[in-house]
Each structure stands twice: as structure tokens, then as C-alpha cells.
Amino acid sequence: MSATHDIRPALPRSAVPGERDLERRLTRFVADAAELLELRFSPDDGRGARLDAAGEIIAAVALRLLDRLRALPRGGARAAALSELAVRGADLEMDLREHSVRRRRFALAGVESALGRLRCITGPTGLLDSVCPELVRSCGFSRAMLSRVEDDTWVPWKTFFGHRDVRPSDEAWMASTRIPLDVMILERELLEHRRAAFVTDTSGDSRMLAPFVAAVGTTSYVAAPVIPAGRVVGFLHADYYPSSRLVDKVDRDILWAFADGFGRIYERTVMLDRLKAQRDHVRGTLRNAETIMDHLARAELELSRQKDERSTVSTATTLAMAGRQSAMDELLTPREREVLLLIVAGQSNRAIAARLVVSEGTVKSHVKQILRKLGAVNRSEAIARYLGTVGSN
């Protein structure tokens, strides 16, 4: 939010309906009051565009008019002119109040619209990048800045200009600037009182830090704390730079409504982002647990299968010993009986060869002899013949 002088012309601020007419009426009223009452207004008051100071101007003129009217006889031309000026002042004051209400209502509608768009942003990063542009475009300011509070230090963070792009010099200033809040009186008050505030004239306000004012080039600005989860984490600043327009109470209330809503949205977005991270972590943990359980289950099945194989071999051996004198046993050699028992146990030729420490070709030869002697066509029939013979003994 650093000041520069070689900028493009500011974009015209969207005027609230009736604002220009009120400015013209105020200018004429001030000029007529100065002529009739022989008053001298300050240069600022005489410009007529200071609607924020209109109430004070009209009140001052009204008091002087009452004093003059009391001293004049009724029915005179001067008394009539002063009375007509008093009526114009009263009408203008009433219209200014209605204008303020319309402006406030119009601006708050912009705030709601901006907050509605911010609520649609899902991540904290995108939300932080959008807050300043939304504040400028929807609430009528010329520029806005988001800052952080870090260990009682003010740190500028993000900014947006309605009249030009953010320049490297702006980014460099924000990256290098760190100001203790002890010397930023207005911002310290925001931190302590947790409400928005505005400065009409930075040159005449004792709360202003001269280096800060000089760096950003502001003459009048409004600021509000950002308070998610009940803690001040930063500030929003806004003004009408480079125009001479001054901020007022309506600007303060608009920014406060925006900052309050943004703080709540930011709190919700951060919470949802953390929940999403925790959800992803839990899902990852469950996936890992599922993988581990699958490995354990497969290991358990392998152990059970090996146990069943050993049990089957043991059972077949027991049956063979019980039928040792059977005719089948007399047909087979000891090695062929050993191979047959392993076939009954469901072992493949390769497994039998490994178990008996012989070649797979030798096992195939034994199997061929077993099938021939038992009159079996295949291994299954050989197993059936063997078990049937053993069972009959």
C-alpha cells in the first residue's frame, strides 16, 4: 500500500443516487451563508464536496442564523432571506440523513454480496488472495490492505488497488516492513478495543505514525480488526487514495461489517481445511491398516495350509502303516510308497522332488510306475485306489 505519484487516473467511485446533487446544494448553501452572514469558512468547508462535514457546517450556520433573526424586525427583506436560508439548511440536513441511510444500505448490500462470494471459496489461500479485491470492488474503496499481527508486531501482507496494478515496489515494501504495535497507536487501539476506527486527517491526528503515513501516502483511512475464533490476527485498512475523498463513519461501519464477516468465514474455512487434512490422514491410516491386515490374513492362511499338508501327510502315513500287509503295499517299492503318500498329501512333482532330494525326472518315473502297478489312469485315480484299499483293511 505504498504511495506513488506516477499513477493512472483513479477510477470514478460509484456514487450513491443523489450524492452529486447534495454536493451542489451544499456548495450553494455554504456560498449563500458566507454572503448573507458575512462568514468565512475554512478552505475544506468551502469546497462543498465534503458531505462528511455537512452536518457541522449546517449546525454552525443555523446557530448564526438564529442569532441574526432574533436581532431583526419581522417582515423585512433581510429577515426573509435569512429565514429562507434556514429552511434550505433544514431541508438539506434532512436529505443528507436520508442520503446517509441510502448509502449505508447500498454499501451493506455490497458487503453481503462480497461475503457471499468469499463463502464459496474452499481454501484459506484462495480466501486470503480474494479478500482485498472484494473489499475494493464491492465496498467502493480505492485500495485495501490485509495485515497480520505477529508477536505484537504489525506486518503488511496483501494489498489491492482499484486504480492500478500492485507493483514490485509495493510488494518489496510489504515484505520488508515490520512495525511494533506499541508505536502504532490507532492499530493498538483496534487490537485492544476490537472495533473499527477511522482517521479523517492523518496530518493532524496524534495517533498517526509519521513513517507509516508517509510510506502509504494516505490522508484519511479506515481500519478494522480481523477476529476469527475470538483472537485478533490482523487488520483490514482501506481508503480512497489517490483521490482527496475522506472516509467517514459510514465507511467505518461498512469496513467493520466486512471485517467481521470475513473473520467468521476465515475461521470456518481454516476449520474445514483442517478437518479435510485430518480426514485424509485417517483414510491413509485405515488404508495402511487394511494392507497390514491383508498381509497378516494371507500369512495366516499360508500357515494353515502348511499345517493341513503336514496333517494330511501324517494321516496318510498312519493309514499306510496300518495297512502295511495289504496287497497294494506288496506291489510298490518303499520309494514308490513314499512317493504315493506325498501324492495323497497333494504334493506336486516338484515339491516331492525337493522333499525327497531327487530330480523331478526321477519323481515322474516313480509316478509312472505307481500308476501302472495300481492300474490307474491319473494321480486322482491312484489316490482313490490307495485310500479305498487302505480303508478296507
Side-chain angles (χ1 to χ4, degrees):
M1 199 170 172
S2 60
T4 57
H5 298 286
D6 56 337
I7 58 177
R8 299 192 300 268
L11 297 176
R13 178 175 180 268
S14 299
V16 176
E19 183 171 299
R20 292 182 178 178
D21 178 63
L22 290 171
E23 291 173 351
R24 287 193 293 266
R25 289 171 58 187
L26 179 60
T27 300
R28 289 196 300 268
F29 178 80
V30 169
D32 293 344
E35 181 181 354
L36 288 173
L37 300 175
E38 298 177 354
L39 296 175
R40 286 188 177 182
F41 292 96
S42 66
D44 286 342
D45 293 337
R47 285 187 302 187
R50 288 283 308 279
L51 292 182
D52 58 295
E56 298 176 3
I57 295 172
I58 295 173
V61 171
L63 290 175
R64 186 65 62 90
L65 283 171
L66 287 176
D67 291 340
R68 295 291 180 89
L69 286 171
R70 289 193 186 101
L72 292 175
R74 295 183 180 180
R78 182 169 177 77
L82 293 177
S83 298
E84 189 271 339
L85 184 63
V87 172
R88 283 172 54 194
D91 290 342
L92 180 58
E93 184 178 16
M94 183 178 298
D95 290 343
L96 284 168
R97 289 180 180 178
E98 292 180 0
H99 157 76
S100 179
V101 172
R102 290 197 307 271
R103 178 187 163 203
R104 189 184 301 270
R105 186 179 303 160
F106 182 79
L108 290 177
V111 168
E112 286 302 318
S113 178
L115 294 178
R117 287 187 291 273
L118 292 177
R119 290 188 188 97
C120 297
I121 300 175
T122 56
T125 301
L127 182 63
L128 293 171
D129 289 339
S130 300
V131 60
C132 289
E134 284 291 353
L135 179 56
V136 169
R137 293 166 181 163
S138 301
C139 301
F141 296 105
S142 297
R143 62 178 178 174
M145 179 173 62
L146 175 67
S147 58
R148 303 193 306 268
V149 175
E150 296 180 358
D151 299 327
D152 296 326
T153 301
W154 181 80
V155 181
W157 193 6
K158 297 179 181 294
T159 190
F160 181 81
F161 295 80
H163 57 280
R164 66 170 175 84
D165 295 332
V166 177
R167 294 172 178 161
S169 58
D170 303 316
E171 295 176 345
W173 178 81
M174 290 190 296
S176 62
T177 299
R178 302 291 185 273
I179 303 177
L181 284 170
D182 288 343
V183 299
M184 299 184 73
I185 299 177
L186 177 67
E187 283 68 24
R188 190 176 70 232
E189 291 178 355
L190 297 179
L191 183 66
E192 295 174 352
H193 303 307
R194 301 190 174 193
R195 61 173 180 263
F198 70 100
V199 179
T200 303
D201 182 8
T202 57
S203 63
D205 196 315
S206 60
R207 299 173 298 174
M208 295 296 96
L209 179 66
F212 168 76
V213 173
V216 299
T218 186
T219 57
S220 177
Y221 72 91
V222 61
V226 178
I227 316 176
R231 184 171 65 92
V232 177
V233 298
F235 304 103
L236 280 169
H237 288 72
D239 65 4
Y240 294 112
Y241 177 89
S243 76
S244 59
R245 184 185 181 93
L246 306 180
V247 299
D248 55 20
K249 294 180 181 179
V250 176
D251 293 313
R252 177 197 63 191
D253 296 343
I254 291 169
L255 184 62
W256 179 227
F258 184 92
D260 181 61
F262 168 68
R264 297 175 188 275
I265 294 171
Y266 182 73
E267 178 183 359
R268 169 182 169 273
T269 303
V270 170
M271 183 180 299
L272 290 176
D273 191 64
R274 290 176 179 173
L275 287 175
K276 180 178 180 297
Q278 292 176 359
R279 180 196 64 189
D280 294 341
H281 176 72
V282 170
R283 284 179 175 175
T285 302
L286 291 176
R287 282 194 297 268
N288 292 336
E290 183 179 3
T291 301
I292 293 172
M293 292 176 67
D294 287 342
H295 290 325
L296 290 175
R298 285 195 293 270
E300 183 65 25
L301 288 174
E302 182 65 23
L303 290 174
S304 177
R305 186 182 66 81
Q306 294 175 2
K307 182 178 180 182
D308 290 343
E309 289 176 354
R310 289 194 297 270
S311 176
T312 302
V313 172
S314 178
T315 301
T317 302
T318 301
L319 290 173
M321 292 178 63
R324 191 180 300 246
Q325 302 300 321
S326 67
M328 181 177 289
D329 288 339
E330 294 177 358
L331 293 174
L332 305 176
T333 66
R335 175 63 80 179
E336 289 171 350
R337 288 198 300 269
E338 193 172 7
V339 171
L340 179 58
L341 291 176
L342 293 173
I343 291 174
V344 172
Q347 299 292 309
S348 65
N349 288 347
R350 180 175 297 181
I352 294 172
R355 188 179 185 90
L356 299 180
V357 194
V358 296
S359 67
E360 191 172 347
T362 301
V363 174
K364 289 181 180 180
S365 178
H366 286 315
V367 172
K368 183 177 180 180
Q369 291 297 323
I370 292 170
L371 295 178
R372 184 184 63 80
K373 291 179 179 181
L374 295 182
V377 178
N378 51 40
R379 297 164 71 100
S380 298
E381 188 174 349
I383 294 171
R385 287 180 179 276
Y386 175 78
L387 293 178
T389 302
V390 173
S392 64
N393 290 332

